[in-house]
């Protein structure tokens, strides 16, 4: 998918280390959410932990998709378990759940808005 982040974990950390101090300086009360990761990447999470990104974040952004199924709680639980196993007690912010019903580069389906609403409610 060409519309999402395409850089390396190290490039993400460099971006984070540049932008977070600016955000904190301009709005000390802002809640800063890391990543917005869809799916799980050991390399990415381990890089964030090693660079102390999760110590600087207020929340861990995660998109708990489970393909065409509405069971967002399964990938959420797996992500939470992975973070706990790595000694990270950061709260997870599920900022996208369910699945899309709009066909696109990374999803092709025959669902509609009503199906999405019914399955994720």
């Amino acid at each position: 998918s060409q519309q999402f982040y395409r850089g390396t974990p190290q490039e993400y950390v460099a971006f984070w280390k540049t932008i977070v101090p600016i955000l904190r300086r301009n709005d000390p009360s802002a809640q800063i959410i890391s990543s917005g990761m869809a799916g799980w990447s050991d390399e990415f999470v381990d890089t964030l932990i090693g660079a102390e990104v999760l110590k600087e974040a207020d929340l861990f952004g995660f998109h708990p998709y489970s393909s065409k199924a509405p069971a967002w709680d399964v990938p959420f639980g797996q992500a939470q378990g992975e973070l706990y196993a790595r000694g990270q007690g950061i709260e997870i912010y599920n900022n996208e759940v369910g699945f899309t019903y709009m066909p696109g580069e990374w999803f092709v389906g025959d669902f509609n808005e009503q199906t999405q609403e019914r399955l994720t409610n």
Side-chain angles (χ1 to χ4, degrees):
S1 176
Q2 298 299 312
Q3 69 193 45
F4 302 111
Y5 181 75
R6 309 282 298 165
T8 67
Q10 295 75 20
E11 289 169 332
Y12 181 88
V13 167
F15 172 74
W16 178 273
K17 296 292 184 176
T18 300
I19 198 72
V20 167
I22 296 168
L23 295 171
R24 294 274 186 224
R25 184 173 58 249
N26 286 303
D27 186 357
S29 66
Q31 285 211 318
I32 300 177
I33 304 170
S34 74
S35 67
M37 188 171 61
W40 188 263
S41 167
D42 286 325
E43 177 191 7
F44 186 71
V45 172
D46 290 341
T47 300
L48 296 183
I49 292 169
E52 299 192 339
V53 165
L54 299 187
K55 287 184 180 180
E56 299 169 2
D58 297 303
L59 300 164
F60 181 85
F62 186 64
H63 306 169
Y65 300 122
S66 54
S67 188
K68 297 177 184 177
W72 63 269
D73 57 332
V74 173
F76 165 74
Q78 290 172 327
Q80 188 175 52
E82 290 284 349
L83 288 171
Y84 285 166
R86 289 168 167 79
Q88 305 299 306
I90 189 168
E91 182 179 349
I92 297 175
Y93 182 75
N94 293 317
N95 54 349
E96 290 185 22
V97 298
F99 59 89
T100 182
Y101 63 88
M102 301 289 289
E105 178 187 347
W106 55 275
F107 177 82
V108 178
D110 57 357
F111 296 98
N112 59 37
E113 188 173 357
Q114 290 75 31
T115 304
Q116 181 191 48
E117 179 183 18
R118 181 176 54 79
L119 291 176
T120 57
N121 187 352

